[in-house]
Amino acid sequence: MDTAYLIETVIKVVVILLVFSALAGIGTYFERKILAFMQRRLGPMNVGPFGLLQVGADGIKLFTKEDIIPSNVVAPIFKIAPVITAATAFMAAAAIPFLPQFTIFGYTVHPIVSDIDVGILYILGVMAVGLFGPMLGGMASANKFALLSAARAAAVFISYEVVTGLAILAPIMMVGSLSLIDFNNYQIENGWILWTQPVAFVLFWIAAFAETGRTPFHLIANDHEIIDGFGTEYSGMRWGLFFIGEYANMFFISFVIPILFLGGFGDGSFLGAVALLGKMAFFFFFFLWTRAAWPDVRPDQLMWLCWKVLMPIAVVNVVITGLVMMF
Amino acid sequence: MFEAVAFYLFAFLTIAMFFITVTTSQALYALSALAAGMIFISAFFFILGADFLGAVQIIVYTGAVMALYAFGMMFFDTTREVKEKKGNKFIIVGLATLCAVIIVAIFAAPIVSDNMLSLYPALEGAGNTQSVGLVLFTKYLIPFEVAAIMLLVAMVAGIVLAGKKMDLSLTLLNAEEIEKMDEEINKKVLS
């Protein structure tokens, strides 16, 4: 293993970590602003121009707030749970190609930490581990609402993972590879997978909402019925870590969906890179849009939807894809 | 060198995690350590270059341990310690050690006697996933199909056992209907 590769990897890891931690903070600002405009409010306005420095104010608050460990909790698990959520979100980013490769000062940079040939499986698997955070946090804190949200996290987990896996299976069969780079290259030649696999696209998109715990499936931490669920007993930066994990996950899944279905970064030109960022921005915006426009569903409705509606559709989609590819 | 460091690190971590799993009397520790250990095992697959198996290890065992957590949540107060009935410690330790030694011997025997043959050498140009598929659908086709049938049987049995009142949703009933149902159950219990 040569030194240049090692240094390059370390730099890439640090850049991704810094950029997406910052983006997670700015993501909260976007969320509050967009929600506010959709509800005819102004949102954060007082700190800085257009409330832009609100992110910094929130950061200072989260970092300096006292970190309380309540007396009846299982302390080690309670402490490690937020770290799991945040860490796994960033671990999943290791196999995502954020931009096409580019040359800077005569050195070719691949903006992907590691192009393992099972990229999409790895991403989905590690992102799924992220749900251990809310569940462990909920089970470790001696709180009824937290326990409820832990039970919901387990239910959400076993419901959506089947749908994600089966939905992504049909495109994988077409591409014949699990690497996101191969997905991108396949779409250069054959056009976007969205046109040939619209059902898989919609299913994966719906499952992405469950994966990130966003609004129609926000039942893990529903403020209006179970306070903040797993976050009820948390304070300060530990609570903030849950947030960073959630928003980083949103950004990463917003990268993964366009790369899988919407042509990714295309042929690697500058325009393609900008297009990928644009698509990512749209999917991130859509997460916020649904939050403003949709009510939450109950846990039993989510399980009904995943197991009785989405999973059969996904299976039928896989079978039809297989038949079409065979004949 | 990196492989060696990673191997010893994850070997230590995995053994430590499974040691916690069997020794602790706190259900939450045991489950979390089990989940962590299972995920650390995937590191060995990645070190050996079997990326596909590594990713599958993560996906399968997060789901499996998640189901265990659900049971743990139903059976224990996971924030308290469980009082265990402890039998003869020496028998347990002795048997466990014996099992470990025998398993190591079983897996080490072919390596020691140089009796390992690679009947299905890796194909040139075939990726990780393809190689797994090739072996699975040629050499191990029958075990694979048998496993599929076993899973199907288990699924049917699970649906039959659990699906008696599948269409009944308490959240969709109103208060009177639930009361009526409770009365009927009470009648059955009393009579």
PDB file of all heavy atoms in Angstrom, chain A residues 132-147:
ATOM      1  N   PHE A 132     -29.806   1.159  15.005  1.00  0.00           N
ATOM      2  CA  PHE A 132     -29.491   0.653  16.339  1.00  0.00           C
ATOM      3  C   PHE A 132     -29.380   1.802  17.337  1.00  0.00           C
ATOM      4  O   PHE A 132     -29.639   1.624  18.514  1.00  0.00           O
ATOM      5  CB  PHE A 132     -28.173  -0.119  16.320  1.00  0.00           C
ATOM      6  CG  PHE A 132     -28.340  -1.579  16.040  1.00  0.00           C
ATOM      7  CD1 PHE A 132     -28.095  -2.092  14.792  1.00  0.00           C
ATOM      8  CD2 PHE A 132     -28.762  -2.423  17.037  1.00  0.00           C
ATOM      9  CE1 PHE A 132     -28.261  -3.432  14.541  1.00  0.00           C
ATOM     10  CE2 PHE A 132     -28.929  -3.766  16.793  1.00  0.00           C
ATOM     11  CZ  PHE A 132     -28.680  -4.274  15.544  1.00  0.00           C
ATOM     12  N   GLY A 133     -28.971   2.988  16.843  1.00  0.00           N
ATOM     13  CA  GLY A 133     -28.808   4.140  17.724  1.00  0.00           C
ATOM     14  C   GLY A 133     -30.087   4.495  18.446  1.00  0.00           C
ATOM     15  O   GLY A 133     -30.151   4.439  19.678  1.00  0.00           O
ATOM     16  N   PRO A 134     -31.148   4.853  17.688  1.00  0.00           N
ATOM     17  CA  PRO A 134     -32.419   5.153  18.349  1.00  0.00           C
ATOM     18  C   PRO A 134     -32.911   4.000  19.224  1.00  0.00           C
ATOM     19  O   PRO A 134     -33.413   4.228  20.329  1.00  0.00           O
ATOM     20  CB  PRO A 134     -33.381   5.379  17.185  1.00  0.00           C
ATOM     21  CG  PRO A 134     -32.532   5.793  16.063  1.00  0.00           C
ATOM     22  CD  PRO A 134     -31.206   5.138  16.251  1.00  0.00           C
ATOM     23  N   MET A 135     -32.723   2.766  18.751  1.00  0.00           N
ATOM     24  CA  MET A 135     -33.276   1.659  19.513  1.00  0.00           C
ATOM     25  C   MET A 135     -32.520   1.460  20.824  1.00  0.00           C
ATOM     26  O   MET A 135     -33.126   1.301  21.881  1.00  0.00           O
ATOM     27  CB  MET A 135     -33.228   0.393  18.682  1.00  0.00           C
ATOM     28  CG  MET A 135     -34.207  -0.600  19.201  1.00  0.00           C
ATOM     29  SD  MET A 135     -33.933  -2.165  18.485  1.00  0.00           S
ATOM     30  CE  MET A 135     -32.265  -2.419  18.906  1.00  0.00           C
ATOM     31  N   LEU A 136     -31.166   1.482  20.752  1.00  0.00           N
ATOM     32  CA  LEU A 136     -30.387   1.299  21.984  1.00  0.00           C
ATOM     33  C   LEU A 136     -30.627   2.465  22.936  1.00  0.00           C
ATOM     34  O   LEU A 136     -30.772   2.261  24.142  1.00  0.00           O
ATOM     35  CB  LEU A 136     -28.902   1.192  21.642  1.00  0.00           C
ATOM     36  CG  LEU A 136     -28.484  -0.126  21.029  1.00  0.00           C
ATOM     37  CD1 LEU A 136     -27.023  -0.081  20.668  1.00  0.00           C
ATOM     38  CD2 LEU A 136     -28.751  -1.251  21.983  1.00  0.00           C
ATOM     39  N   GLY A 137     -30.669   3.691  22.367  1.00  0.00           N
ATOM     40  CA  GLY A 137     -30.918   4.847  23.206  1.00  0.00           C
ATOM     41  C   GLY A 137     -32.256   4.729  23.907  1.00  0.00           C
ATOM     42  O   GLY A 137     -32.392   5.032  25.095  1.00  0.00           O
ATOM     43  N   GLY A 138     -33.262   4.267  23.162  1.00  0.00           N
ATOM     44  CA  GLY A 138     -34.595   4.128  23.738  1.00  0.00           C
ATOM     45  C   GLY A 138     -34.643   3.055  24.802  1.00  0.00           C
ATOM     46  O   GLY A 138     -35.270   3.225  25.847  1.00  0.00           O
ATOM     47  N   MET A 139     -33.951   1.938  24.556  1.00  0.00           N
ATOM     48  CA  MET A 139     -34.013   0.849  25.534  1.00  0.00           C
ATOM     49  C   MET A 139     -33.175   1.145  26.764  1.00  0.00           C
ATOM     50  O   MET A 139     -33.486   0.681  27.862  1.00  0.00           O
ATOM     51  CB  MET A 139     -33.523  -0.453  24.884  1.00  0.00           C
ATOM     52  CG  MET A 139     -34.538  -1.074  23.968  1.00  0.00           C
ATOM     53  SD  MET A 139     -33.873  -2.498  23.132  1.00  0.00           S
ATOM     54  CE  MET A 139     -34.176  -3.754  24.338  1.00  0.00           C
ATOM     55  N   ALA A 140     -32.097   1.908  26.573  1.00  0.00           N
ATOM     56  CA  ALA A 140     -31.193   2.144  27.701  1.00  0.00           C
ATOM     57  C   ALA A 140     -31.739   3.194  28.656  1.00  0.00           C
ATOM     58  O   ALA A 140     -31.469   3.131  29.852  1.00  0.00           O
ATOM     59  CB  ALA A 140     -29.817   2.566  27.193  1.00  0.00           C
ATOM     60  N   SER A 141     -32.503   4.181  28.126  1.00  0.00           N
ATOM     61  CA  SER A 141     -33.011   5.203  29.040  1.00  0.00           C
ATOM     62  C   SER A 141     -34.281   4.690  29.710  1.00  0.00           C
ATOM     63  O   SER A 141     -35.172   4.182  29.048  1.00  0.00           O
ATOM     64  CB  SER A 141     -33.265   6.517  28.301  1.00  0.00           C
ATOM     65  OG  SER A 141     -33.871   6.287  27.072  1.00  0.00           O
ATOM     66  N   ALA A 142     -34.331   4.811  31.001  1.00  0.00           N
ATOM     67  CA  ALA A 142     -35.462   4.286  31.755  1.00  0.00           C
ATOM     68  C   ALA A 142     -36.641   5.239  31.610  1.00  0.00           C
ATOM     69  O   ALA A 142     -36.939   6.025  32.499  1.00  0.00           O
ATOM     70  CB  ALA A 142     -35.070   4.116  33.220  1.00  0.00           C
ATOM     71  N   ASN A 143     -37.297   5.170  30.465  1.00  0.00           N
ATOM     72  CA  ASN A 143     -38.355   6.121  30.168  1.00  0.00           C
ATOM     73  C   ASN A 143     -39.370   5.427  29.285  1.00  0.00           C
ATOM     74  O   ASN A 143     -39.011   4.762  28.320  1.00  0.00           O
ATOM     75  CB  ASN A 143     -37.724   7.317  29.440  1.00  0.00           C
ATOM     76  CG  ASN A 143     -38.719   8.392  29.136  1.00  0.00           C
ATOM     77  OD1 ASN A 143     -39.788   8.120  28.614  1.00  0.00           O
ATOM     78  ND2 ASN A 143     -38.369   9.611  29.444  1.00  0.00           N
ATOM     79  N   LYS A 144     -40.651   5.547  29.627  1.00  0.00           N
ATOM     80  CA  LYS A 144     -41.679   4.821  28.877  1.00  0.00           C
ATOM     81  C   LYS A 144     -41.726   5.265  27.425  1.00  0.00           C
ATOM     82  O   LYS A 144     -41.845   4.446  26.504  1.00  0.00           O
ATOM     83  CB  LYS A 144     -43.037   5.040  29.511  1.00  0.00           C
ATOM     84  CG  LYS A 144     -43.218   4.253  30.775  1.00  0.00           C
ATOM     85  CD  LYS A 144     -44.471   4.689  31.485  1.00  0.00           C
ATOM     86  CE  LYS A 144     -44.475   4.131  32.891  1.00  0.00           C
ATOM     87  NZ  LYS A 144     -45.406   4.841  33.750  1.00  0.00           N
ATOM     88  N   PHE A 145     -41.635   6.571  27.204  1.00  0.00           N
ATOM     89  CA  PHE A 145     -41.733   7.064  25.829  1.00  0.00           C
ATOM     90  C   PHE A 145     -40.536   6.601  25.004  1.00  0.00           C
ATOM     91  O   PHE A 145     -40.678   6.245  23.843  1.00  0.00           O
ATOM     92  CB  PHE A 145     -41.823   8.587  25.831  1.00  0.00           C
ATOM     93  CG  PHE A 145     -43.074   9.078  26.491  1.00  0.00           C
ATOM     94  CD1 PHE A 145     -43.025   9.669  27.727  1.00  0.00           C
ATOM     95  CD2 PHE A 145     -44.293   8.922  25.873  1.00  0.00           C
ATOM     96  CE1 PHE A 145     -44.179  10.106  28.337  1.00  0.00           C
ATOM     97  CE2 PHE A 145     -45.445   9.350  26.477  1.00  0.00           C
ATOM     98  CZ  PHE A 145     -45.396   9.946  27.722  1.00  0.00           C
ATOM     99  N   ALA A 146     -39.372   6.588  25.661  1.00  0.00           N
ATOM    100  CA  ALA A 146     -38.175   6.124  24.953  1.00  0.00           C
ATOM    101  C   ALA A 146     -38.310   4.658  24.587  1.00  0.00           C
ATOM    102  O   ALA A 146     -37.952   4.239  23.488  1.00  0.00           O
ATOM    103  CB  ALA A 146     -36.945   6.346  25.832  1.00  0.00           C
ATOM    104  N   LEU A 147     -38.876   3.874  25.519  1.00  0.00           N
ATOM    105  CA  LEU A 147     -39.037   2.443  25.248  1.00  0.00           C
ATOM    106  C   LEU A 147     -40.004   2.228  24.079  1.00  0.00           C
ATOM    107  O   LEU A 147     -39.765   1.397  23.197  1.00  0.00           O
ATOM    108  CB  LEU A 147     -39.544   1.737  26.497  1.00  0.00           C
ATOM    109  CG  LEU A 147     -39.532   0.212  26.411  1.00  0.00           C
ATOM    110  CD1 LEU A 147     -38.120  -0.283  26.256  1.00  0.00           C
ATOM    111  CD2 LEU A 147     -40.170  -0.397  27.633  1.00  0.00           C
TER     112      LEU A 147
END
